[in-house]
Amino acid sequence: MIKPLPRLILIAAVVGSGIYGANHYLAGNNSLRGLSAAKAAVPSMLDVPTSSTTPGASSGTATMRVAPAQGQYMARMLVLPWNAEASIHYANGDATTAPGSLMAKRGVHLSIERQDDYAQMVAEQVVFAGEVAKGVAYPTKGAAFVVIMGDGGPGYFAAAKEGMGKLGQQLEVVGSLGYSRGEDKCMLPADVVADPQKARGSLIGAVLRDGDWNICMKYAADNKIAVNPDAKTYDPDAMNFVSVSSFTESDEKLIAAVNSGACEVRPVVRAGKPTGENRKVCQNGTATWTPGDVKIAKEVGGLAAVASTKEYMWQMPATIIGNKQWMAQNKDYVVNMLAASFEGTDAIRSSDAELLKASAVVAKVAKEQTAAWWMKYYKGVVEKDRRGLDISLGGSTSSNLSDNLYLFGLNGNDNLYKRVYNVFGGMAKQYYPEDMPEVVAYDLVVNTSYLQTLANASPAMLGTAATPTFSQTAPTASTFAKRAWAIEFETGKATFTNASSAVLDELLNQLSISGLAIQINGHTDNIGSPAANLQLSKARAEAVRNWLQTNAASGFPQERVRVRAFGDQQPVADNRSGEGRAKNRRVEVALIKTAE
């Protein structure tokens, strides 16, 4: 079983005998059909000025300027056993930089080590920061870089803030290597797929506040399902959790509950208020990853991936985090490390033979499985579970420079990673304010200047980002999520009131994380003629679509967003009361899967 004992504890790091943080193995990353993967040409060397001035486009190939001491420096990088990092493993050629590798050709040397524990990653980065604070130019203690899941960023930075702050140092994201797109998932009984509201009353094993827990939470939010954050009580109207210290424990608890009736008795609450009742409840779901989901499929069966990073395609980028002060003094090192990794992505995309080479290094760094095994789950597979149901396992993608520019909102497109960071940081703060009272501001922990430098200096590297494609005419295969949004309009008009601004902003953030097609359904009460109501509901749905496209055109192309008008024909409440009519005046937004 790979990726042991992941967990995420959103509390401040403390330098000394213990540093608390987040531990997560995280996800692989699934290849999506319909992605247009562009190959970028990468120069063999890059000349990066050491001044703060961003260079313009250069012609030809220049030799990288590397300080003599730096030229032999081996920076230490801690990574998760995760296929989304395949590009940097390929570029490095081995666990330590291999002669003739893409990294070596650029004068960059890395020692890549597996580390499943985020708390230890934080501790190692604090040790490195201590050396930098003492004036050590090229520290041999601690870790210069780590790679973690992007949606776990808010927790990671919250955990590191105090320890780094005491040293006058900071950490920051400088780029992404790839994504989890399918491997990480929220698994529940298969009938939930057809009716998400059946997730109410579920009891899901999860490492709270961690990435796969995030998937379950996001699915609940998109379907407007209440969540009970207290892992010691049970709310039959909400999604409930069993708090575990590892995903292995979650899976084992589920197997025990199904096969031997190992359940528990909990006090019953409704909307957070005790009812005085106690109830025996059994775990019926898990938030897990590959190969944990394989174990569940083979030993239990009957569960489905009701939500995964395949649907939430932007949720889990593999983000590189380094020491801000050290990187500022070694800009060429960082830029060339990124460039080599992006060249690795293009090589992996070129053939299975190159992907297998990357997978061999992943296996060596992870110290588990074989190159063929990692390659299989990089691509993703569909297998039968114990009850004969199909289940999707694994799945990863790698990112090049163009993909990074798209993710971080450069070149004028929407900043997807900022939305991911704020959505999941806000979620942790909402449900666990004592552990995470504040989210460290995005602009303080993300530095895109290295990507910008690379893009400006090497236009030959630029291509088209791999993004999903959509068709307005593709038939709907299923509805993944649907919820009504309380968007206020002026009476009898399709004009938003001022009170709608916050709701629209939240709608935009939530929808941006998914890569699914969107259907906006307009509804009215029964005041007025049916014909007029039908027209009004259409105009209001179109107003929402237009607002999304105006505020994030790259994320909501015309082909992605469908509009449907229902007028007063689908009431959800009694039109004879003012309260009922208010509920019927609504805009529903559905995430839909289309037939391929």
Side-chain angles (χ1 to χ4, degrees), residues 194-460:
D195 183 2
Q197 296 305 313
K198 289 185 177 180
R200 295 180 185 274
S202 59
L203 186 59
I204 306 168
V207 181
L208 302 185
R209 301 179 293 280
D210 209 350
D212 295 338
W213 173 84
N214 277 341
I215 297 173
C216 296
M217 296 290 287
K218 184 72 172 69
Y219 182 72
D222 284 345
N223 286 287
K224 210 162 187 179
I225 298 169
V227 171
N228 176 18
D230 183 359
K232 295 181 180 180
T233 62
Y234 176 77
D235 187 335
D237 301 320
M239 184 181 284
N240 302 270
F241 291 95
V242 175
S243 179
V244 297
S245 61
S246 74
F247 290 92
T248 303
E249 181 185 355
S250 171
D251 298 336
E252 293 298 338
K253 281 181 176 289
L254 176 58
I255 292 169
V258 173
N259 293 340
S260 60
C263 304
E264 59 182 298
V265 176
R266 290 191 179 190
V268 175
V269 298
R270 290 187 184 273
K273 297 181 179 180
T275 65
E277 175 191 357
N278 291 323
R279 185 180 301 186
K280 181 180 178 181
V281 291
C282 303
Q283 183 178 335
N284 69 337
T286 184
T288 192
W289 75 95
T290 304
D293 54 354
V294 177
K295 185 177 181 67
I296 294 299
K298 300 304 181 185
E299 297 191 29
V300 178
L303 273 70
V306 298
S308 75
T309 47
K310 184 178 291 185
E311 292 83 22
Y312 297 129
M313 63 177 295
W314 305 112
Q315 178 180 336
M316 289 187 185
T319 49
I320 305 171
I321 298 176
N323 181 285
K324 178 179 180 178
Q325 285 72 21
W326 186 85
M327 291 190 297
Q329 297 169 5
N330 296 277
K331 296 177 182 178
D332 53 350
Y333 192 102
V334 179
V335 172
N336 281 280
M337 177 182 70
L338 293 172
S341 299
F342 300 154
E343 186 177 16
T345 288
D346 291 328
I348 288 170
R349 290 176 176 176
S350 69
S351 72
D352 282 353
E354 301 307 302
L355 174 57
L356 188 62
K357 292 178 184 177
S359 299
V361 182
V362 174
K364 185 171 184 178
V365 172
K367 300 179 181 179
E368 288 201 36
Q369 304 296 343
T370 65
W373 189 95
W374 285 97
M375 179 173 170
K376 171 184 176 181
Y377 285 107
Y378 180 97
K379 291 185 170 185
V381 296
V382 175
E383 296 180 347
K384 296 288 186 182
D385 73 3
R386 184 175 179 178
R387 301 186 187 184
L389 300 178
D390 287 337
I391 186 164
S392 178
L393 306 170
S396 303
T397 59
S398 296
S399 296
N400 61 18
L401 177 59
S402 297
D403 299 320
N404 271 261
L405 299 184
Y406 188 86
L407 172 65
F408 290 99
L410 307 177
N411 289 350
N413 56 287
D414 190 42
N415 188 337
L416 284 169
Y417 185 55
K418 187 172 185 177
R419 297 195 186 282
V420 166
Y421 185 91
N422 289 334
V423 164
F424 291 106
M427 190 178 294
K429 178 182 175 182
Q430 175 187 352
Y431 285 96
Y432 299 96
E434 292 184 2
D435 292 335
M436 193 170 178
E438 294 297 334
V439 179
V440 181
Y442 173 90
D443 293 337
L444 295 179
V445 294
V446 177
N447 182 355
T448 59
S449 68
Y450 301 100
L451 294 172
Q452 291 171 326
T453 295
L454 187 56
N456 292 340
S458 302

Side-chain angles (χ1 to χ4, degrees), residues 524-547:
T524 69
D525 58 27
N526 66 347
I527 303 299
S529 70
N533 286 335
L534 185 64
Q535 185 59 39
L536 179 60
S537 66
K538 179 183 178 183
R540 287 179 170 175
E542 289 175 339
V544 174
R545 177 198 62 194
N546 296 342
W547 188 92

Side-chain angles (χ1 to χ4, degrees), residues 456-532:
N456 292 340
S458 302
M461 293 182 66
L462 300 177
T464 302
T467 58
T469 57
F470 303 95
S471 170
Q472 280 275 359
T473 59
T476 298
S478 63
T479 298
F480 172 71
K482 183 172 68 173
R483 64 173 289 186
W485 290 81
I487 301 170
E488 293 186 11
F489 295 88
E490 293 183 7
T491 303
K493 298 180 180 179
T495 305
F496 302 120
T497 66
N498 292 335
S500 293
S501 296
V503 178
L504 288 166
D505 287 339
E506 179 64 13
L507 174 64
L508 174 55
N509 282 331
Q510 296 292 339
L511 291 179
S512 294
I513 292 168
S514 170
L516 296 177
I518 296 167
Q519 183 169 302
I520 303 174
N521 301 326
H523 301 269
T524 69
D525 58 27
N526 66 347
I527 303 299
S529 70

